[in-house]
Structure formats: structure tokens, C-alpha cells
Amino acid sequence: MLTLLLSISTLLLLEISVPAWAQAPPSLAPSGPWDTFNYAPKSRTVYATSIRHTQSTVSGSENLLNGDNGSATLTGNDAWVTLDFGKEVGGLISMNFDSINSSSSSISLAFTESPMFISPTLSDDSSFPIATMNYDGVLSVPAPLSAGFWTQPAFALRGGFRFLTIASTGGDSPVTISNVSCAISFMPHVDDMTAYTGFFYAKDSDFEDSDFLTKLWYAGAYTVQTNTVPVNTGRQVPFEPQGHWANNATLGVAGPIIVDGAKRDRAVWPGDMGIAVPTQFVSTFDLIPTRNALSTMFANINPQTGALPESGPPLSQLGSDTYHCWTLIGSYNYYLYSGDDEWLNTIWPNYTLAVSFIEGKVDSSGLLNVTGLRDWARQGGGGHNSEGNAILYKVLTTASALATYSNHTSLSLAYAANASSLKTTFNSAFWMPDVGMYRDNTSTTLTPQDANSFAVLFNVTLNDTQKETISEGLERNWVEFGAVPPELPDTISPFISGFELQAHFVAGNDSRAFDLLHREWGYILYTNLSVQSTLVEGLTANGSLYYRYYQGYNDDAAYTSHSHGWSSGPTSALTFYVAGLTITAPQGREWSLAPHVGGPMNSTQAGFGTALGWFGVGWERGVGENALSLNVTTPEGTSGVFTVPKGVSGTVKVNRTTVAEDAREGQVVELQGGILQITIS
């Protein structure tokens, strides 16, 4: 076993074991026009790219840009300048104090992601939400200042921001500064953050920016990179008192580790990983942070009951049946992507104990009785709830697969049988034929976004007609800027919408999926309320930043995170559904090619790597109305299936050999790994 030693400034110095699959990581994605849209910094030291605001009492502010060697002078208490780094960044600020004319001279630093909260006296909030939106305050650099190089204290790390405001606070004496930079703290184990193992590229003819889909794919990837952090940079709990923040808490058993957001909460949240980890897989294959996060959750299991925490330390919140399930689902995802047998064997006793815990909550009705009520913020999740039961179904089907991979055949069969029974009971209890959707629980007619999306995506439905009517019903929740979940009114949740997006593709409604992409993420990526590089945690129904204003966030729009991995669902969806390439057995020993070609593009290219090698696809609509050509590369020794897409028909040829005649939508062709050219005409 190799050992990797990591060191990032004063933030991280630890030793971690490198799993076998990571000792021979996949090669990098090919270069191409898509590289233009990679938001990751090319260096671990970054500089502001423009001046957002400057007072007349500041001279030479332009000298603070792009690593210029010049200096700027701030004179008087009303002197302040806001630097724009051009995109979401995070880390420790350094600068030179070139000239200090008074022992009373001092400055302060204020940070914000959104330009809406630029201020010389306040940062946006990260420690705690408060209606006055002034919890965090500023980082004071008090008198007396010393001439020379200064670096922000490690405890005061700011994990996510785009705008930095430097203000003079020590009277009328001028302070001259230079070389203001940010040492990036995220992705501490990677030298070149632009070195992706996956890519995506397509032109969108229906959106005002034809590069929207490609930009969105890379924005999701970069979001998850900003959420990949050193293990000792968590938000402190108990929270710092008002006027302060601290990000020096221990997050888990090892680092680097994946957390929910760059600015906050900076903790492991397994539900969020249900979206963020597939993003990570298709873009960077950076799975060690996921391994560390899941290991942290299992290390904190209740050894008597098998209950898993809702979140990792230092929050360590308890009492969530759904997030308990997400740790189990995440275990399957990690093993599917990595094939990490050593890890699976290590956690297996705790994994099966945790499955037994959640199965033990299935009562005489045959349904899970949800008693651990904490969740993604939805309302009304207790009792015989359809969301919790849909997630349990996914737990059981994935547990059956993991048991098979672990050679526990009888246990696999038992999990599969329980899943089958639950599926029958689920449909009997929750399906409303007159509405064409599932209800939230057995005593309501509310049709939730989450449960209906999960039912389609996890195949809890009984037939394709259900999938189609659910897709149609979900659209009824849409407003101008996206989908509003009935289970959390006046809210747009990109987390749950990420599952809905996939559900529309699964249901065969490509045009509806692209409409949701344009509507919701088109707003998120381009709105000047956000950072236009990473993806916001959530919004209100009218597109404001007052996300969850009535549900835990205390009317504090400044608390909303603008770089939240759970909002990156389109990144994996574009690869898995639009490009159509996904793996179906560990490391991609088996794979599926099922492109969705009914969207606003004539061609698509994408790919990703695993420990077995490169998986790539490029497809293009042919001259004929129903024609399609594909170039596919998968590792030798693997096998896969190609599904004829909707709207395509004709003779299927693989490397010029006819393999199917008069093929129609949904017909399956078995393939072997290698370099393949597929045509349908």
C-alpha cells in the first residue's frame, strides 16, 4: 500500500492510505474546445481580476490585480476597495504591508460570494443565519501593523467567496498594500486542478448561449472541487459568537474530504453526496474524499442500534432516516465507481448493521415508518412517507448488488426479496391513478417532487405509463426559474430538481428535461445575484436568495451558499443521459450506452475514466431523419449494451458489420469493449 503525504500551507499535514484502485488513476481527458470552460484555477495562488468598487480615498487599486507588482494606498476610515476574483475561490488571503504611517493603522477584510452583500463592514454569513444578515462581521487586522508579508490566520479561512473588500479602519493615516492574493485551500491533494479525467461538450441551439450545457457541466464539476477540503477546515461547532467565524474544526477520519458547501456548512452530508459524487466521478475521478467521508459516517455509527448520523463532525446531527439511507446508497456508488474491495470488506459489518436498523423500521403495513425526521429541509416527512420508502427501495436494491459483489448470495437474495415486496406495497399505498402521481403519505393528496422523482429514477414504478404521467405531473410545479416542490413551498431546490431532471430523461421526455435545464440552471448559472462559476444551494420561487427563509435560515439571504455540490445534478446527467454512457458494474466492467438525442444539439462528446481505462463517446445526428452515428471507446475486456435511442431507427452497424436490421427505439444490442463505430441508418 502506498502512502501519500499532503501539505497545503498551514492547513493540512496528514498521512492517508491510498487504495489500490487509486495507485493507477485513469489518464486525463483529451484536450479540446471544452477546456476553455474549465473554471478550476490554473494555479494554487490566485489574484483578483477586476475592481468591483473603490472609494476616492483609495489610490492605485488597479495595481492589486493579476499579481501586479504595484501598490495601492488606502487613506482614512472611509477608504475601501472591493476586489473581484472573477469566480468562486476560497482559501487564505496574503498581502504585503508596504508603508504604515501610524501605530494606530489597521485594516479589515470582508468576504462575500454574492455581489449583493459587498460591504466594508460585513461579510456574508457562514457561521449562523440571522435576519439582520450581520452575523459573521469582518476579519480585523488590528494595530499595530507590521511592514512586510502578512497571511490570514488559518482559523479564519474563508472557504468560498468571489469578492474581497479591504477597508482602512485605523484613522486618517494611509496604509499602502500590494501583492494581494488567495492561496486556494480546496483540492489540497491536487497540484493541477484543471487536470480532469472527464469532459463534456455540446452546442445548445435553443439557449441564448450555445455553450450553456458545456459551461454548466464544468460549473458543476468546479462546484464539487470547491467542496473538497482539508480535514481540519470544518466550521466550528458550537458556532463562533456574532462578529466572528472559524473554519478549523476536524471533519472526519482522514482528508481530503468532501463536504456540502465551500462557504458553509463545511461538513459531510450524505444526502448531498447522492448528487455530488456522480459529478465527481464523471469529471475528476477524485474518489478518495468520498471514501474518507463515508468512512467517517461509518466510524460514527451507533454500535448498539446501527443508526448512522445525519451529518459528519463537528455538526454530528442525528435523527434522519433518509440521510441514514443516503450513506448506504453512497456506499454503493463509491464501490461502483472504484471497485474498492478492501474498503467494502472493512465497512461491511457496519454496513449490514445499518441496513438492519432501517429495515427494522418497516412495520406491519410493509412500509418504512419514518421516525428520524431530519431531511433536506422538506416538510411532512414522518410516518409512512413516500420519499423515505422510495429511498429505502434504493437502499435494498443496491444492498443486494453489494452483497452479490461480496459473495453473500443468501443475503443478496433476501435484500432483493424485501425490495420486491416494498415495491408492491409502495404502489398500493401511494399511487393515485386519477392524478397519475404518488402522494406524500397515506393521509394526504400532496404529490411531492422528491418522492415522485425518486420513484421514476429508482424504478419503483410498475410501468412506463406511470413514469410518463409522473413526468407530466412534475412539470405542473414549475415557475419561471424552476421547479417548486410542494413539500417545501416557495422554494427552488436544485438538489431535488437534479433528481427530477434525471427522472424526465428516464421517462423519455427529453424536451421536458432540457426545458428544466434551461429554466432552472440557466438562471442559476447566469444570474448576477450569484458567482457565475459555481452553483447556488437554492432560491425562492421568484429567484431571490432568501432560500429557506422560513425553514431554518431565519430570513438571512446572506447565509445561502453559492457553491453547493448538491446542485450539480446536470453534470452527471449530461454524461449519463445526453451523451448516454454510464457504468453498470464496478469500475465499468459492464456499461450501458443509451444516448438521448432528442435535445437541442446535433452532436455531443463526453467521456470519463476509471481504473480500467477510458470510456468515451461522441454521437452525431445523420443526414437522414432517423440516422445516428457514434464513436465509442471502452476498455478491452469489458462488455456493454447499446440501446437504440428514441427517434432513431434503421440498420445498426458496428464497425461496418450489420448487427441488427429494422431496429427501433429501445432495441438492445450487445457490445464488447474496444474502439467501436456504430451507425444507424
Short mmCIF file of all heavy atoms in Angstrom, two decimals, residues 191-219:
data_model
loop_
_atom_site.label_atom_id
_atom_site.label_comp_id
_atom_site.label_asym_id
_atom_site.label_seq_id
_atom_site.Cartn_x
_atom_site.Cartn_y
_atom_site.Cartn_z
N ASP A 191 -2.17 19.09 -7.50
CA ASP A 191 -1.36 20.23 -7.95
C ASP A 191 -2.05 20.99 -9.08
O ASP A 191 -2.12 22.21 -9.06
CB ASP A 191 0.01 19.74 -8.43
CG ASP A 191 0.88 19.25 -7.28
OD1 ASP A 191 0.72 19.77 -6.16
OD2 ASP A 191 1.68 18.33 -7.49
N ASP A 192 -2.55 20.26 -10.09
CA ASP A 192 -3.20 20.88 -11.23
C ASP A 192 -4.71 20.61 -11.15
O ASP A 192 -5.18 19.53 -11.49
CB ASP A 192 -2.63 20.31 -12.53
CG ASP A 192 -3.22 20.97 -13.77
OD1 ASP A 192 -4.09 21.86 -13.64
OD2 ASP A 192 -2.82 20.59 -14.89
N MET A 193 -5.44 21.61 -10.70
CA MET A 193 -6.88 21.43 -10.51
C MET A 193 -7.65 21.38 -11.83
O MET A 193 -8.82 21.00 -11.85
CB MET A 193 -7.43 22.54 -9.61
CG MET A 193 -6.98 22.42 -8.16
SD MET A 193 -7.51 23.82 -7.14
CE MET A 193 -6.32 25.06 -7.64
N THR A 194 -7.02 21.76 -12.92
CA THR A 194 -7.68 21.70 -14.23
C THR A 194 -7.53 20.33 -14.88
O THR A 194 -8.10 20.10 -15.95
CB THR A 194 -7.11 22.76 -15.19
OG1 THR A 194 -5.75 22.43 -15.51
CG2 THR A 194 -7.15 24.15 -14.55
N ALA A 195 -6.76 19.44 -14.27
CA ALA A 195 -6.45 18.14 -14.88
C ALA A 195 -7.59 17.17 -14.64
O ALA A 195 -7.55 16.31 -13.75
CB ALA A 195 -5.15 17.60 -14.30
N TYR A 196 -8.63 17.30 -15.45
CA TYR A 196 -9.82 16.47 -15.31
C TYR A 196 -9.62 15.12 -16.02
O TYR A 196 -8.91 15.03 -17.03
CB TYR A 196 -11.04 17.16 -15.92
CG TYR A 196 -11.63 18.27 -15.09
CD1 TYR A 196 -10.94 18.84 -14.02
CD2 TYR A 196 -12.91 18.76 -15.36
CE1 TYR A 196 -11.50 19.84 -13.26
CE2 TYR A 196 -13.48 19.77 -14.61
CZ TYR A 196 -12.77 20.31 -13.56
OH TYR A 196 -13.33 21.31 -12.81
N THR A 197 -10.28 14.11 -15.50
CA THR A 197 -10.29 12.80 -16.16
C THR A 197 -11.55 12.61 -17.00
O THR A 197 -11.71 11.56 -17.62
CB THR A 197 -10.19 11.68 -15.12
OG1 THR A 197 -11.26 11.83 -14.17
CG2 THR A 197 -8.86 11.74 -14.37
N GLY A 198 -12.44 13.59 -17.00
CA GLY A 198 -13.64 13.53 -17.81
C GLY A 198 -13.88 14.85 -18.52
O GLY A 198 -13.27 15.87 -18.19
N PHE A 199 -14.79 14.83 -19.49
CA PHE A 199 -15.14 16.07 -20.20
C PHE A 199 -16.54 15.92 -20.78
O PHE A 199 -17.11 14.83 -20.87
CB PHE A 199 -14.13 16.38 -21.30
CG PHE A 199 -14.35 15.63 -22.59
CD1 PHE A 199 -14.97 16.24 -23.67
CD2 PHE A 199 -13.96 14.29 -22.72
CE1 PHE A 199 -15.18 15.56 -24.86
CE2 PHE A 199 -14.17 13.60 -23.90
CZ PHE A 199 -14.78 14.23 -24.97
N PHE A 200 -17.08 17.04 -21.20
CA PHE A 200 -18.37 17.08 -21.90
C PHE A 200 -18.36 18.27 -22.84
O PHE A 200 -17.82 19.33 -22.51
CB PHE A 200 -19.53 17.20 -20.92
CG PHE A 200 -20.88 17.31 -21.60
CD1 PHE A 200 -21.59 16.16 -21.92
CD2 PHE A 200 -21.43 18.54 -21.92
CE1 PHE A 200 -22.81 16.24 -22.56
CE2 PHE A 200 -22.65 18.63 -22.57
CZ PHE A 200 -23.35 17.47 -22.89
N TYR A 201 -18.99 18.08 -24.02
CA TYR A 201 -19.04 19.18 -24.99
C TYR A 201 -20.26 19.02 -25.88
O TYR A 201 -20.49 17.96 -26.47
CB TYR A 201 -17.77 19.20 -25.84
CG TYR A 201 -17.67 20.39 -26.76
CD1 TYR A 201 -17.44 21.67 -26.26
CD2 TYR A 201 -17.76 20.23 -28.14
CE1 TYR A 201 -17.31 22.76 -27.11
CE2 TYR A 201 -17.64 21.31 -29.00
CZ TYR A 201 -17.42 22.58 -28.47
OH TYR A 201 -17.31 23.66 -29.31
N ALA A 202 -21.06 20.08 -25.97
CA ALA A 202 -22.21 20.10 -26.87
C ALA A 202 -22.62 21.55 -27.10
O ALA A 202 -22.40 22.41 -26.25
CB ALA A 202 -23.38 19.31 -26.29
N LYS A 203 -23.22 21.81 -28.24
CA LYS A 203 -23.76 23.12 -28.56
C LYS A 203 -25.28 23.07 -28.42
O LYS A 203 -25.93 22.17 -28.96
CB LYS A 203 -23.39 23.52 -29.99
CG LYS A 203 -21.90 23.78 -30.20
CD LYS A 203 -21.46 25.08 -29.54
CE LYS A 203 -20.02 25.42 -29.90
NZ LYS A 203 -19.58 26.69 -29.27
N ASP A 204 -25.82 24.04 -27.69
CA ASP A 204 -27.25 24.10 -27.40
C ASP A 204 -27.90 25.14 -28.31
O ASP A 204 -27.72 26.35 -28.11
CB ASP A 204 -27.44 24.46 -25.93
CG ASP A 204 -28.89 24.38 -25.48
OD1 ASP A 204 -29.80 24.52 -26.31
OD2 ASP A 204 -29.12 24.19 -24.27
N SER A 205 -28.67 24.69 -29.27
CA SER A 205 -29.26 25.61 -30.25
C SER A 205 -30.49 26.33 -29.72
O SER A 205 -30.96 27.28 -30.34
CB SER A 205 -29.64 24.85 -31.53
OG SER A 205 -30.61 23.85 -31.25
N ASP A 206 -31.01 25.91 -28.57
CA ASP A 206 -32.24 26.51 -28.03
C ASP A 206 -31.98 27.52 -26.92
O ASP A 206 -32.94 28.11 -26.41
CB ASP A 206 -33.17 25.41 -27.49
CG ASP A 206 -33.85 24.63 -28.59
OD1 ASP A 206 -33.70 25.02 -29.77
OD2 ASP A 206 -34.52 23.62 -28.28
N PHE A 207 -30.74 27.70 -26.53
CA PHE A 207 -30.44 28.62 -25.43
C PHE A 207 -29.67 29.81 -25.98
O PHE A 207 -28.93 29.69 -26.96
CB PHE A 207 -29.64 27.91 -24.34
CG PHE A 207 -29.65 28.60 -23.01
CD1 PHE A 207 -30.77 28.55 -22.20
CD2 PHE A 207 -28.54 29.31 -22.58
CE1 PHE A 207 -30.79 29.20 -20.97
CE2 PHE A 207 -28.55 29.97 -21.35
CZ PHE A 207 -29.68 29.91 -20.54
N GLU A 208 -29.82 30.94 -25.32
CA GLU A 208 -29.19 32.17 -25.83
C GLU A 208 -27.67 32.07 -25.86
O GLU A 208 -27.02 32.74 -26.67
CB GLU A 208 -29.61 33.37 -24.97
CG GLU A 208 -29.28 33.24 -23.51
CD GLU A 208 -29.95 34.30 -22.66
OE1 GLU A 208 -31.04 34.75 -23.04
OE2 GLU A 208 -29.37 34.68 -21.63
N ASP A 209 -27.08 31.27 -25.00
CA ASP A 209 -25.66 30.97 -25.03
C ASP A 209 -25.51 29.53 -25.49
O ASP A 209 -25.85 28.60 -24.76
CB ASP A 209 -25.04 31.17 -23.65
CG ASP A 209 -23.54 30.92 -23.63
OD1 ASP A 209 -22.99 30.45 -24.65
OD2 ASP A 209 -22.91 31.18 -22.59
N SER A 210 -25.01 29.32 -26.69
CA SER A 210 -24.94 27.97 -27.24
C SER A 210 -23.99 27.07 -26.45
O SER A 210 -24.05 25.84 -26.56
CB SER A 210 -24.51 28.00 -28.71
OG SER A 210 -23.19 28.53 -28.83
N ASP A 211 -23.13 27.66 -25.63
CA ASP A 211 -22.20 26.88 -24.81
C ASP A 211 -22.75 26.59 -23.42
O ASP A 211 -22.01 26.11 -22.55
CB ASP A 211 -20.86 27.62 -24.69
CG ASP A 211 -20.12 27.70 -26.01
OD1 ASP A 211 -20.05 26.67 -26.71
OD2 ASP A 211 -19.63 28.79 -26.35
N PHE A 212 -24.02 26.85 -23.22
CA PHE A 212 -24.61 26.70 -21.89
C PHE A 212 -24.39 25.33 -21.30
O PHE A 212 -23.97 25.18 -20.14
CB PHE A 212 -26.11 27.02 -21.96
CG PHE A 212 -26.90 26.54 -20.78
CD1 PHE A 212 -26.64 27.01 -19.50
CD2 PHE A 212 -27.93 25.61 -20.94
CE1 PHE A 212 -27.36 26.57 -18.41
CE2 PHE A 212 -28.66 25.16 -19.86
CZ PHE A 212 -28.38 25.64 -18.59
N LEU A 213 -24.68 24.27 -22.05
CA LEU A 213 -24.59 22.92 -21.49
C LEU A 213 -23.16 22.60 -21.07
O LEU A 213 -22.93 22.00 -20.02
CB LEU A 213 -25.09 21.90 -22.51
CG LEU A 213 -26.56 22.01 -22.90
CD1 LEU A 213 -26.90 21.01 -24.00
CD2 LEU A 213 -27.47 21.79 -21.69
N THR A 214 -22.20 22.99 -21.88
CA THR A 214 -20.80 22.73 -21.55
C THR A 214 -20.38 23.54 -20.33
O THR A 214 -19.72 23.02 -19.42
CB THR A 214 -19.90 23.06 -22.75
OG1 THR A 214 -20.37 22.37 -23.90
CG2 THR A 214 -18.47 22.67 -22.47
N LYS A 215 -20.75 24.81 -20.29
CA LYS A 215 -20.42 25.64 -19.13
C LYS A 215 -21.05 25.08 -17.86
O LYS A 215 -20.42 25.07 -16.79
CB LYS A 215 -20.91 27.08 -19.35
CG LYS A 215 -20.11 27.86 -20.37
CD LYS A 215 -20.67 29.27 -20.54
CE LYS A 215 -19.85 30.08 -21.53
NZ LYS A 215 -20.41 31.44 -21.73
N LEU A 216 -22.28 24.60 -17.97
CA LEU A 216 -22.98 24.07 -16.80
C LEU A 216 -22.29 22.80 -16.31
O LEU A 216 -22.14 22.59 -15.10
CB LEU A 216 -24.44 23.79 -17.16
CG LEU A 216 -25.31 23.21 -16.05
CD1 LEU A 216 -25.33 24.13 -14.83
CD2 LEU A 216 -26.73 22.98 -16.57
N TRP A 217 -21.88 21.94 -17.24
CA TRP A 217 -21.17 20.71 -16.84
C TRP A 217 -19.93 21.07 -16.04
O TRP A 217 -19.67 20.49 -14.97
CB TRP A 217 -20.80 19.92 -18.09
CG TRP A 217 -20.29 18.53 -17.84
CD1 TRP A 217 -21.01 17.38 -17.86
CD2 TRP A 217 -18.93 18.14 -17.57
NE1 TRP A 217 -20.19 16.29 -17.61
CE2 TRP A 217 -18.92 16.73 -17.42
CE3 TRP A 217 -17.73 18.84 -17.42
CZ2 TRP A 217 -17.75 16.02 -17.14
CZ3 TRP A 217 -16.57 18.14 -17.14
CH2 TRP A 217 -16.59 16.75 -17.01
N TYR A 218 -19.17 22.02 -16.52
CA TYR A 218 -17.93 22.40 -15.84
C TYR A 218 -18.20 23.18 -14.56
O TYR A 218 -17.42 23.09 -13.60
CB TYR A 218 -17.02 23.17 -16.79
CG TYR A 218 -16.27 22.24 -17.73
CD1 TYR A 218 -16.76 21.97 -19.00
CD2 TYR A 218 -15.11 21.60 -17.32
CE1 TYR A 218 -16.10 21.09 -19.85
CE2 TYR A 218 -14.44 20.73 -18.15
CZ TYR A 218 -14.94 20.47 -19.42
OH TYR A 218 -14.29 19.58 -20.25
N ALA A 219 -19.27 23.96 -14.51
CA ALA A 219 -19.62 24.65 -13.27
C ALA A 219 -19.95 23.65 -12.16
O ALA A 219 -19.57 23.84 -11.00
CB ALA A 219 -20.80 25.59 -13.50
#
